[in-house]
Amino acid sequence: MRAVVQRVLSASVEVEGRVVSAIGPGLLVLVGVHEADTDADADYICRKVLNMRLFPNEKTEKAWDQSVLQRKFEVLLVSQFTLYGILKGNKPDFHVAMPPAKAKPFYASLVEKFQKSYSADAVKDGIFGAMMKVSLVNDGPVTMQVDSSSLQNPAYNGDVGSVGGNEAQVPKETS
């Protein structure tokens, strides 16, 4: 799974001329789902995004000190299969993206993970598969990419995927 995370002052998603989701300060997260992604990939992306220290601490004036959780800001998730596009000549090929029939429920479960790990009211999303107009006001700009392929290869980004003591935990599914 791949997430492109942007720190924003505001962001919104419009579908067919109507705003379907909007947030104030927080994170806009473009999410690409790979055909081989599992719940472990979703857990990893959820935990990393919610705990990324992309915001300054207003009390201490330390940059890169607080997460979206600590600031009580919002998150807007937007599905974007094109994050797994590969150029073949000049034409994009999306064969490694999860097929829509499988990706739609998988993405919905990712949104639910974010809502359970943080707050249902603070996590919004677009409409899966719709032609969306995404608007944002960048803050910085600050843009980070997180790829769950680091689960298979920790050297990929220098992260071993460990959870710190004060990080958000992704709840275990109960059957």
Side-chain angles (χ1 to χ4, degrees), residues 148-173:
S148 67
S149 66
S150 62
L151 288 172
Q152 289 77 39
N153 181 8
Y156 178 80
N157 68 358
D159 183 287
V160 294
S162 62
V163 178
N166 57 354
E167 287 189 355
Q169 301 293 314
V170 175
K172 295 289 182 210
E173 297 298 318

mmCIF file of all heavy atoms in Angstrom, residues 148-173:
data_model
loop_
_atom_site.group_PDB
_atom_site.id
_atom_site.type_symbol
_atom_site.label_atom_id
_atom_site.label_comp_id
_atom_site.label_asym_id
_atom_site.label_seq_id
_atom_site.Cartn_x
_atom_site.Cartn_y
_atom_site.Cartn_z
ATOM 1 N N SER A 148 4.063 0.543 2.348
ATOM 2 C CA SER A 148 4.071 -0.616 3.241
ATOM 3 C C SER A 148 4.984 -1.719 2.754
ATOM 4 O O SER A 148 5.141 -2.724 3.434
ATOM 5 C CB SER A 148 2.652 -1.157 3.440
ATOM 6 O OG SER A 148 2.150 -1.694 2.239
ATOM 7 N N SER A 149 5.624 -1.554 1.611
ATOM 8 C CA SER A 149 6.581 -2.567 1.164
ATOM 9 C C SER A 149 7.721 -2.692 2.164
ATOM 10 O O SER A 149 8.451 -3.669 2.166
ATOM 11 C CB SER A 149 7.124 -2.243 -0.227
ATOM 12 O OG SER A 149 7.900 -1.070 -0.195
ATOM 13 N N SER A 150 7.857 -1.702 3.052
ATOM 14 C CA SER A 150 8.879 -1.782 4.097
ATOM 15 C C SER A 150 8.597 -2.930 5.054
ATOM 16 O O SER A 150 9.487 -3.373 5.777
ATOM 17 C CB SER A 150 8.963 -0.465 4.869
ATOM 18 O OG SER A 150 7.732 -0.211 5.503
ATOM 19 N N LEU A 151 7.364 -3.460 5.057
ATOM 20 C CA LEU A 151 7.058 -4.626 5.893
ATOM 21 C C LEU A 151 7.869 -5.826 5.442
ATOM 22 O O LEU A 151 8.324 -6.622 6.251
ATOM 23 C CB LEU A 151 5.569 -4.978 5.801
ATOM 24 C CG LEU A 151 4.601 -4.044 6.495
ATOM 25 C CD1 LEU A 151 3.174 -4.421 6.144
ATOM 26 C CD2 LEU A 151 4.805 -4.082 7.988
ATOM 27 N N GLN A 152 8.029 -5.961 4.128
ATOM 28 C CA GLN A 152 8.780 -7.081 3.590
ATOM 29 C C GLN A 152 10.277 -6.797 3.570
ATOM 30 O O GLN A 152 11.081 -7.706 3.603
ATOM 31 C CB GLN A 152 8.318 -7.404 2.164
ATOM 32 C CG GLN A 152 6.945 -8.025 2.088
ATOM 33 C CD GLN A 152 5.821 -7.026 2.256
ATOM 34 O OE1 GLN A 152 5.882 -5.917 1.770
ATOM 35 N NE2 GLN A 152 4.780 -7.413 2.967
ATOM 36 N N ASN A 153 10.660 -5.517 3.520
ATOM 37 C CA ASN A 153 12.060 -5.144 3.401
ATOM 38 C C ASN A 153 12.327 -3.910 4.264
ATOM 39 O O ASN A 153 12.239 -2.791 3.768
ATOM 40 C CB ASN A 153 12.408 -4.866 1.930
ATOM 41 C CG ASN A 153 13.856 -4.490 1.732
ATOM 42 O OD1 ASN A 153 14.650 -4.563 2.655
ATOM 43 N ND2 ASN A 153 14.191 -4.073 0.527
ATOM 44 N N PRO A 154 12.643 -4.098 5.572
ATOM 45 C CA PRO A 154 12.851 -2.953 6.454
ATOM 46 C C PRO A 154 13.916 -1.977 5.983
ATOM 47 O O PRO A 154 13.860 -0.804 6.295
ATOM 48 C CB PRO A 154 13.260 -3.603 7.776
ATOM 49 C CG PRO A 154 12.716 -4.985 7.706
ATOM 50 C CD PRO A 154 12.768 -5.372 6.249
ATOM 51 N N ALA A 155 14.874 -2.413 5.198
ATOM 52 C CA ALA A 155 15.920 -1.513 4.722
ATOM 53 C C ALA A 155 15.373 -0.538 3.684
ATOM 54 O O ALA A 155 16.007 0.452 3.367
ATOM 55 C CB ALA A 155 17.069 -2.315 4.119
ATOM 56 N N TYR A 156 14.169 -0.820 3.180
ATOM 57 C CA TYR A 156 13.558 0.012 2.138
ATOM 58 C C TYR A 156 13.524 1.477 2.541
ATOM 59 O O TYR A 156 13.864 2.342 1.778
ATOM 60 C CB TYR A 156 12.142 -0.505 1.848
ATOM 61 C CG TYR A 156 11.397 0.295 0.819
ATOM 62 C CD1 TYR A 156 11.630 0.105 -0.537
ATOM 63 C CD2 TYR A 156 10.460 1.242 1.194
ATOM 64 C CE1 TYR A 156 10.943 0.831 -1.484
ATOM 65 C CE2 TYR A 156 9.767 1.973 0.246
ATOM 66 C CZ TYR A 156 10.010 1.764 -1.077
ATOM 67 O OH TYR A 156 9.337 2.481 -2.024
ATOM 68 N N ASN A 157 13.088 1.747 3.785
ATOM 69 C CA ASN A 157 13.039 3.149 4.218
ATOM 70 C C ASN A 157 13.647 3.358 5.593
ATOM 71 O O ASN A 157 13.400 4.358 6.231
ATOM 72 C CB ASN A 157 11.599 3.680 4.173
ATOM 73 C CG ASN A 157 10.697 3.038 5.198
ATOM 74 O OD1 ASN A 157 11.121 2.152 5.929
ATOM 75 N ND2 ASN A 157 9.463 3.476 5.254
ATOM 76 N N GLY A 158 14.422 2.377 6.051
ATOM 77 C CA GLY A 158 15.089 2.526 7.338
ATOM 78 C C GLY A 158 14.177 2.334 8.523
ATOM 79 O O GLY A 158 14.554 2.576 9.654
ATOM 80 N N ASP A 159 12.969 1.868 8.300
ATOM 81 C CA ASP A 159 11.993 1.720 9.366
ATOM 82 C C ASP A 159 11.705 0.248 9.563
ATOM 83 O O ASP A 159 11.432 -0.471 8.620
ATOM 84 C CB ASP A 159 10.709 2.452 8.975
ATOM 85 C CG ASP A 159 9.668 2.401 10.061
ATOM 86 O OD1 ASP A 159 9.078 1.330 10.270
ATOM 87 O OD2 ASP A 159 9.478 3.443 10.692
ATOM 88 N N VAL A 160 11.758 -0.207 10.799
ATOM 89 C CA VAL A 160 11.468 -1.612 11.065
ATOM 90 C C VAL A 160 10.022 -1.823 11.463
ATOM 91 O O VAL A 160 9.614 -2.933 11.761
ATOM 92 C CB VAL A 160 12.406 -2.191 12.155
ATOM 93 C CG1 VAL A 160 13.827 -2.233 11.652
ATOM 94 C CG2 VAL A 160 12.299 -1.412 13.440
ATOM 95 N N GLY A 161 9.231 -0.764 11.470
ATOM 96 C CA GLY A 161 7.808 -0.905 11.729
ATOM 97 C C GLY A 161 7.451 -1.106 13.186
ATOM 98 O O GLY A 161 6.372 -1.568 13.494
ATOM 99 N N SER A 162 8.336 -0.770 14.099
ATOM 100 C CA SER A 162 8.018 -0.943 15.511
ATOM 101 C C SER A 162 7.086 0.162 15.980
ATOM 102 O O SER A 162 7.042 1.242 15.429
ATOM 103 C CB SER A 162 9.299 -0.935 16.346
ATOM 104 O OG SER A 162 9.946 0.314 16.219
ATOM 105 N N VAL A 163 6.324 -0.153 17.019
ATOM 106 C CA VAL A 163 5.377 0.803 17.574
ATOM 107 C C VAL A 163 5.989 1.411 18.820
ATOM 108 O O VAL A 163 6.417 0.698 19.716
ATOM 109 C CB VAL A 163 4.047 0.102 17.937
ATOM 110 C CG1 VAL A 163 3.084 1.076 18.554
ATOM 111 C CG2 VAL A 163 3.448 -0.549 16.717
ATOM 112 N N GLY A 164 6.032 2.744 18.860
ATOM 113 C CA GLY A 164 6.532 3.436 20.046
ATOM 114 C C GLY A 164 5.490 3.434 21.142
ATOM 115 O O GLY A 164 4.318 3.135 20.924
ATOM 116 N N GLY A 165 5.888 3.783 22.323
ATOM 117 C CA GLY A 165 5.012 3.738 23.483
ATOM 118 C C GLY A 165 3.797 4.635 23.404
ATOM 119 O O GLY A 165 2.757 4.311 23.955
ATOM 120 N N ASN A 166 3.879 5.767 22.721
ATOM 121 C CA ASN A 166 2.740 6.679 22.700
ATOM 122 C C ASN A 166 2.143 6.823 21.299
ATOM 123 O O ASN A 166 1.537 7.817 20.982
ATOM 124 C CB ASN A 166 3.139 8.054 23.253
ATOM 125 C CG ASN A 166 4.295 8.659 22.503
ATOM 126 O OD1 ASN A 166 4.867 8.008 21.633
ATOM 127 N ND2 ASN A 166 4.647 9.880 22.831
ATOM 128 N N GLU A 167 2.291 5.796 20.466
ATOM 129 C CA GLU A 167 1.708 5.822 19.133
ATOM 130 C C GLU A 167 0.293 5.259 19.164
ATOM 131 O O GLU A 167 -0.054 4.450 20.019
ATOM 132 C CB GLU A 167 2.546 4.976 18.159
ATOM 133 C CG GLU A 167 3.853 5.623 17.776
ATOM 134 C CD GLU A 167 4.549 4.885 16.655
ATOM 135 O OE1 GLU A 167 4.078 3.815 16.235
ATOM 136 O OE2 GLU A 167 5.578 5.387 16.190
ATOM 137 N N ALA A 168 -0.518 5.674 18.204
ATOM 138 C CA ALA A 168 -1.860 5.110 18.060
ATOM 139 C C ALA A 168 -1.728 3.637 17.701
ATOM 140 O O ALA A 168 -0.870 3.261 16.921
ATOM 141 C CB ALA A 168 -2.630 5.839 16.965
ATOM 142 N N GLN A 169 -2.569 2.829 18.284
ATOM 143 C CA GLN A 169 -2.587 1.405 17.984
ATOM 144 C C GLN A 169 -3.760 1.124 17.062
ATOM 145 O O GLN A 169 -4.838 1.681 17.231
ATOM 146 C CB GLN A 169 -2.757 0.599 19.274
ATOM 147 C CG GLN A 169 -1.660 0.849 20.295
ATOM 148 C CD GLN A 169 -0.315 0.347 19.831
ATOM 149 O OE1 GLN A 169 -0.211 -0.761 19.339
ATOM 150 N NE2 GLN A 169 0.704 1.160 19.987
ATOM 151 N N VAL A 170 -3.560 0.263 16.092
ATOM 152 C CA VAL A 170 -4.651 -0.142 15.218
ATOM 153 C C VAL A 170 -5.383 -1.259 15.957
ATOM 154 O O VAL A 170 -4.776 -2.250 16.351
ATOM 155 C CB VAL A 170 -4.127 -0.638 13.868
ATOM 156 C CG1 VAL A 170 -5.247 -1.173 13.008
ATOM 157 C CG2 VAL A 170 -3.378 0.478 13.164
ATOM 158 N N PRO A 171 -6.700 -1.095 16.181
ATOM 159 C CA PRO A 171 -7.427 -2.113 16.922
ATOM 160 C C PRO A 171 -7.472 -3.436 16.175
ATOM 161 O O PRO A 171 -7.524 -3.459 14.951
ATOM 162 C CB PRO A 171 -8.840 -1.530 17.077
ATOM 163 C CG PRO A 171 -8.943 -0.469 16.057
ATOM 164 C CD PRO A 171 -7.558 -0.013 15.740
ATOM 165 N N LYS A 172 -7.433 -4.531 16.935
ATOM 166 C CA LYS A 172 -7.534 -5.860 16.348
ATOM 167 C C LYS A 172 -8.985 -6.087 15.939
ATOM 168 O O LYS A 172 -9.901 -5.675 16.632
ATOM 169 C CB LYS A 172 -7.109 -6.940 17.353
ATOM 170 C CG LYS A 172 -5.642 -6.844 17.741
ATOM 171 C CD LYS A 172 -4.773 -7.271 16.590
ATOM 172 C CE LYS A 172 -3.316 -7.210 16.993
ATOM 173 N NZ LYS A 172 -2.432 -6.925 15.913
ATOM 174 N N GLU A 173 -9.149 -6.755 14.806
ATOM 175 C CA GLU A 173 -10.498 -7.069 14.342
ATOM 176 C C GLU A 173 -11.099 -8.142 15.246
ATOM 177 O O GLU A 173 -10.416 -9.062 15.681
ATOM 178 C CB GLU A 173 -10.455 -7.587 12.898
ATOM 179 C CG GLU A 173 -9.939 -6.582 11.908
ATOM 180 C CD GLU A 173 -10.804 -5.332 11.814
ATOM 181 O OE1 GLU A 173 -12.036 -5.463 11.817
ATOM 182 O OE2 GLU A 173 -10.232 -4.232 11.750
#
